Amino acid sequence: MTEKTMRKRDNQGFTLVEIMVVIAMIAILVAVATPQLNQAFDNFQFSNGMRMMLNSMNRAKGEAMNSGLFTTVLFTTDANGRARYTAFVDDGAGGGTTRNGVRDGAERLIITETMPRGVALNTDGAATNFEKNAGGNYFTQFNTVGFPVGSDPEDGAKLIDYSGRITYNATIGGQPVTQFIQLGIGGRMNITKS
């Protein structure tokens, strides 16, 4: 072959049929992979949200132990219906009420987080002995040695079981998924699956 013939063959490129076959193969791969990728992302968000909540509860527990003040983790729903939790020092600072399970006055915020879309928190039912505050929201508190306690100031001297579990629900790939944060009487917390 001469140099001119080789140059002509190199410049021919792809045919329209070859391009259409490649596009069709890519479309098939995207159609097959998209549901699995969405499910993997939803699983990641679900697990990550659960770990973040566990870390926040441990942070509230650590703050109670370090500061020598009771801390509260309050479970609520925001204006859009999404579950959220707030951890704060429940010491009545700035005219608030001590250990009432409500962040009032100038009580110091530790953290507040909103759960990923599609995730529901359920603290209700026989699985928990968490208390309700005046607004009807569930909360748990940690005393100065990191044990979960009730809101009665007398509880600080006793080991009263205000442990329980927080149910964390979502639907991923059309299947219900449930995990729990188990809060033990000694303040130990771990994630368990149903």
Side-chain angles (χ1 to χ4, degrees):
M1 272 191 245
T2 66
E3 185 180 332
K4 192 174 186 180
T5 309
M6 284 181 69
R7 221 180 289 145
K8 187 175 182 186
R9 187 172 285 165
D10 286 344
N11 292 333
Q12 285 181 346
F14 297 105
T15 66
L16 182 59
V17 171
E18 290 171 328
I19 292 172
M20 294 303 287
V21 167
V22 168
I23 289 173
M25 288 172 53
I26 290 171
I28 290 169
L29 286 173
V30 167
V32 168
T34 298
Q36 282 82 11
L37 288 174
N38 285 341
Q39 187 170 345
F41 181 72
D42 289 345
N43 273 325
F44 170 77
Q45 271 199 304
F46 180 80
S47 297
N48 190 48
M50 192 73 167
R51 281 190 300 276
M52 283 176 56
M53 185 165 58
L54 180 66
N55 289 341
S56 296
M57 291 182 72
N58 274 315
R59 197 166 150 192
K61 175 183 167 181
E63 180 64 29
M65 294 167 68
N66 289 335
S67 68
L69 301 168
F70 283 75
T71 59
T72 294
V73 181
L74 175 64
F75 303 96
T76 58
T77 304
D78 70 10
N80 298 318
R82 289 176 64 186
R84 66 183 301 133
Y85 57 90
T86 303
F88 57 95
V89 177
D90 204 352
D91 62 352
T97 303
T98 303
R99 298 189 57 207
N100 64 343
V102 176
R103 185 170 177 244
D104 50 11
E107 293 174 330
R108 187 166 45 86
L109 177 68
I110 298 169
I111 191 166
T112 187
E113 289 287 340
T114 302
M115 300 277 70
R117 204 170 292 287
V119 170
L121 288 180
N122 180 8
T123 54
D124 210 347
T128 183
N129 339 345
F130 292 154
E131 290 188 81
K132 282 187 177 181
N133 64 17
N137 294 308
Y138 282 95
F139 68 96
T140 190
Q141 295 180 324
F142 296 98
N143 67 11
T144 58
V145 291
F147 293 147
V149 294
S151 61
D152 183 344
E154 296 299 315
D155 294 345
K158 305 179 210 161
L159 263 183
I160 295 181
D161 185 2
Y162 281 99
S163 60
R165 68 182 187 178
I166 303 156
T167 308
Y168 190 84
N169 301 312
T171 301
I172 299 174
Q175 299 295 316
V177 179
T178 301
Q179 289 186 351
F180 309 98
I181 290 182
Q182 189 72 42
L183 174 57
I185 189 170
R188 183 180 169 92
M189 290 174 272
N190 59 350
I191 296 174
T192 58
K193 296 181 181 181
S194 61

